[in-house]
């Protein structure tokens, strides 16, 4: 038994995914995404999303986000995102690199969420000075947010409406898109293109794949060639792309992705309940999917760690830690976590 | 039976490699190359090369080459390579992208090989105009070359000596390094650091891996941090890097890499013999490893294709085709190829 | 009589400067900064600053700032500045362009000034996440600030000390350095290298030149070659650089620069007095040099404009306007401005 | 008397131009190219070229060329030019910098001139490999060429036709456009837009200005905003742009530019005659405007230099030198040059 709640990035691949990789390893296949698995992606994702969808398979979320943003944003363009967004805080400047010096503008918002009025205010504050300012070019939302919270479909639509007002592209970083969709119980369409999102970073590595992500464009778009140029130019066009595409196909087949995410979300909910029941520890943000942020004493966290529980101390905060649950977290592991927390509560 | 000789990129993964991936899929592991497999790389490769070696695992050759070159070359620096080099002709400008506009200078040379005198002449022609010119910064050799030929250790040393004269870094693109090493029957050290090479793009995907490559720095170096910054910034730091590192470890374990390459080289040699024995078809370059370039009539190639043989028509040449042999090419497949060629010879 | 207080950028050149340009227009001269005027810069500025100073003549402040920052900051490096800094708000992303995607981090601070504690906090908040974060690389101070205020020598030293703690380079944007020096009545050394500043964007265009700025490096430095490479690569190495260098020499000769600035500062002080005496209008920031920011009613400003006074309505503020005084602002013009304001005060 | 034939870059400004600068130095003027001089540029150049012309004033030829090319070429685009072109050999990589890693492809051609068949061949050789290759995006011609020769209008049209075939933009580097126009005795339209050129780097600094160049777009274009963004972002939007624009207006007024160039061309023709009459020295290229390339013995050149004549030893050639004549070269100076050459001829 492992008691590792640091990150879903640390989870192994799911059996279905590994089986698909093994299965794809038969004979020769055209290289550079010209293979038969890659050829099925557009149809499979179009079916999933209920709209003509163009799929660009990739192997890291950072690459997907960066290619997406650089595809729609000129070097003198600004991308608006939450101030805690992964693209701003955790990608080592990849968006700026792919985008040749584009700028990310972080906007504050409670619980990891942007609000339409704040977004509009930020855009207005940055506009109106012509070539001396950056051009407001794109909005990037994160679903689930970095705080483990969610946007409802109408909230997404409201934010996309603001972006449309200013003629900006709309992107969603869906590193945990499966967890969001499973938690909301909605269709994937309802929180993406139906709400105004044009591009989705469809994450899969955190939820059961070895290394598989996809950039999705919804509906007619003129961006595919740019995205494919950037994919090659950034060294992300794998010669044996079949192994990535095979993962993606298996991942969305028979609701595999949602089953895996539902399991992870359920574990998180159990733990959230334990935190709520605890005398001292508190929930920093209202948990909605597979991440739980706990505010507690440094000594409390130290005791938890001493009991063998692994979690993430939040950078530059001694009173905050993150617990993440994945498709591979067992009921038993979650139970031990909850009991251990409880035992330290008195 | 497949008769696909288009590219070793199209081959499946070797059994040993796939087994290593499956084996690595046990439980959680630290993400972003902090896992236990990645932690073994430096020692394993240091042992293989007989010198302290720093390993940066990656998943594509384009990324390895580009990170290597961008690490040692300023934006105003020039990299010298053969005019047919992959970095110049086939990577969609990735070196220029990673290197923020560095310049690649192609130098002509028979049989895909650079010659020391030509290299020196090219460098001198580009120097001496101060800030108005690019600064000669690096040499990039390809082993095996794009023509399927090889450099002998002393030829590499002579080229590296020229680069040293001008204070330039020395890089080797070893996309088919295993085939070269196996063909030469030499130690990997003898054609790299012992000959003056400082950085090696150690290829593995073409020779049995799913997607695994490594950037190696030999001896003491000040470049590792830059390389790791670039890896993250370009979206190449896989969260589940364990699966790449596990491939690399299995690949070099027990001479697996050399066994796979030796098999491929042997197939190529059989076919080269068949071409030599043929009445019309000729060898464009002297084959030395796992690639055979054949010069023949367009009708001859058409007949071969009609017989079900798959190979690569060389771009903008109707009289040239490339045949590549891989670890997965069976004796039987090669035999059918040779017989088919022979049958079309009269 | 003009009543233009919009910007010192709109002022004409001073007579001394224009005379120097005319004087430099005699016969041929080596191009690309190899001329006899450029050759005198290092000595002249070393004399002025009391330390060996390397001078890189340029023609815009944006170029100077961007070359300075890109010279000391890697693409994955962060530059800390005030949230209102010109490099962040008004240069169209030039620092990001020259710096290949470096990041500017804006830090809040009253009256346009950074405070050491806030700077340290911002740096700490951005550090500690390795390659996932930007590397804190440089501090950029603005003197005079964008609010028309000043740093005292000890305040500069305190900020530079924080930067030193984190091994960061220290830059000063001195677009109005003359106004600052004149206002403080200090030596130029005391607010630059003696306080820890390593690079100065020495502005001259706003204070009497046609188009002349200089990047100064104080003391021994390893940055000159990078700066000169960037100057050429960005198209800023004028073929007839003699005309820029001649302006710079004339500008600092016989305290010309300080005389011009003192005049401008004096005009501003007159107006600041008028604002203080006014019943409704107020000073937004404590004026210290040649800029005065006035908070007043929209109708008040409208009346002033209707009276023929030209000033800058502050972007997205209806209650704020900027008045700038230059070397060419006459006593009479300032007097009319003050009287007009007074007449609208009742 | 000066005997400086090194470069027209070393010449002083013409009296008409200097007078215009002095004249422009009256009172305040809007900054950042919003002044009354800049406002006249479009009309003045439209009149000169006989077509609606958009003018972007700048201060160096490198900036003009780089902004032009980066405006029409994506980072993954290739620009074709002569192998000796200034953009390829002498701009320190500025086009690659402005173009975020675009690639320049040099094509050989006698006498500094591209030929349509060679251009087509080069484009075809680089195309057809999808994202693995650069996208052929632009043609850049130089008029006068770097060899001091000229293209006739129909030659330009033939080259532009090839570019059009491949959907490529057409640019002309006219650093010595005045000399070309004067020498051909043609209309400026005939060698630009009427022949298919869409963008012209209109040079003026070498022919009498202090520092003034312009990027011209002919006819309707969608590029102006990109060019203006790049101008600001690269630090080339001078605050006091009036002084550049005033130069440009004076330069084209009353055929001033052609008079200056005609004078320079005439001097060159005198010297070319002297070379033709010489027993040993020979013309390397057929001189057509204001540059003369002489092939001679190293000892011959040494003797000429010893006699006080200044010229440019061609890099990495001991038997070649360049002599350039400018608007400021006096008849007497040319006469002394010719006589000195003659005296060394026996």
């Amino acid at each position: 038994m492992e008691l590792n709640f640091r990150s879903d990035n640390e989870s192994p691949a799911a059996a279905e995914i590994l089986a698909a990789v093994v299965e794809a390893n038969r004979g020769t296949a055209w290289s550079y995404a010209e293979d038969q698995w890659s050829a099925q992606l557009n149809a499979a994702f179009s079916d999933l999303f209920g709209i003509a969808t163009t799929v660009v398979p990739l192997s890291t979320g950072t690459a997907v986000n960066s290619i997406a943003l650089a595809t729609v944003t000129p070097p003198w363009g600004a991308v608006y995102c939450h101030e805690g967004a992964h693209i701003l805080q955790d990608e080592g400047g990849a968006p700026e690199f792919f985008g040749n010096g584009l700028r990310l503008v972080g906007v504050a918002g409670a619980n990891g969420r942007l609000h339409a009025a704040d977004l509009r205010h930020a855009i207005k504050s940055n506009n109106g000075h012509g070539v001396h300012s950056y051009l407001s070019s794109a909005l990037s939302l994160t679903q689930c947010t970095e705080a483990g919270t969610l946007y409802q479909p109408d909230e997404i639509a409201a934010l996309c409406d603001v972006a449309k007002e200013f003629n900006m592209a709309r992107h969603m970083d869906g590193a945990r898109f499966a967890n969001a969709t499973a938690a909301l119980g909605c269709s994937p369409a309802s929180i993406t293109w139906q709400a105004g999102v044009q591009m989705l970073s469809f994450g899969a590595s955190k939820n059961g794949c070895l290394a598989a992500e996809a950039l999705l464009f919804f509906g007619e778009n003129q961006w595919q060639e740019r995205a494919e140029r950037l994919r090659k130019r950034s060294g992300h066009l794998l010669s044996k792309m079949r192994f990535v595409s095979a993962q993606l196909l298996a991942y969305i087949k028979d609701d595999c992705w949602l089953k895996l995410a539902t399991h992870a979300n359920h574990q998180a909910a159990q733990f959230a309940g334990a935190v709520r029941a605890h005398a001292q520890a508190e929930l920093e943000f209202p948990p909605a999917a597979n991440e739980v942020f706990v505010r507690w004493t440094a000594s409390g966290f130290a005791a938890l760690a001493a009991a063998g529980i692994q979690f993430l101390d939040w950078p530059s905060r001694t009173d905050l830690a993150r617990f993440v649950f994945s498709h591979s977290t067992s009921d038993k592991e979650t139970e031990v976590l909850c009991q251990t927390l409880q035992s330290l509560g008195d």
Side-chain angles (χ1 to χ4, degrees), chain A residues 59-74:
Chain A
S59 53
T60 74
T62 296
V64 179
N65 285 336
S66 298
I67 291 176
L69 297 174
T71 293
V72 300
T73 310

Side-chain angles (χ1 to χ4, degrees), chain A residues 116-245:
Chain A
D118 297 334
L119 174 62
R120 182 180 288 105
H121 178 77
I123 297 169
K124 284 192 168 173
S125 301
N126 281 278
N127 275 358
H129 195 24
V131 299
H132 302 266
S133 301
Y134 270 86
L135 178 70
S136 297
S137 299
L139 166 66
S140 179
L141 300 175
T142 309
Q143 175 85 317
C144 314
T145 74
E146 295 299 320
T149 58
L150 292 172
Y151 291 105
Q152 296 297 319
D154 62 333
E155 293 171 324
I156 296 170
L159 288 160
C160 287
D161 283 348
V162 173
K164 286 178 195 171
E165 258 180 61
F166 294 93
N167 206 23
M168 291 159 56
R170 289 84 65 193
H171 166 255
M172 178 175 281
D173 176 358
R176 295 187 177 91
F177 186 76
N179 302 97
T181 307
L184 289 167
C186 66
S187 72
S190 67
I191 51 173
T192 55
W193 64 271
Q194 289 179 347
V197 172
Q198 299 170 296
M199 298 174 290
L200 173 65
S201 294
F202 183 84
S205 300
K206 289 186 200 300
N207 187 39
C209 287
L210 294 94
E213 309 275 323
L215 170 54
L216 310 186
F217 292 109
F218 300 117
E220 290 302 306
N221 74 81
Q222 302 177 318
W223 297 326
Q224 184 180 356
E225 196 208 326
R226 285 181 63 86
E228 293 186 354
R229 289 277 177 185
L230 277 168
R231 177 174 62 174
K232 175 61 196 175
R233 193 165 169 80
S234 62
H236 282 286
L237 181 59
L238 298 191
S239 56
K240 298 181 174 176
M241 191 67 89
R242 59 165 139 169
F243 295 112
V244 172
S245 298

Side-chain angles (χ1 to χ4, degrees), chain A residues 41 45 55 57 202 204 212-214 244-253:
Chain A
L41 292 172
F45 278 84
V55 182
F202 183 84
E213 309 275 323
V244 172
S245 298
Q247 291 179 63
L248 291 170
L249 292 171
Y251 182 67
I252 62 171
K253 190 179 174 191

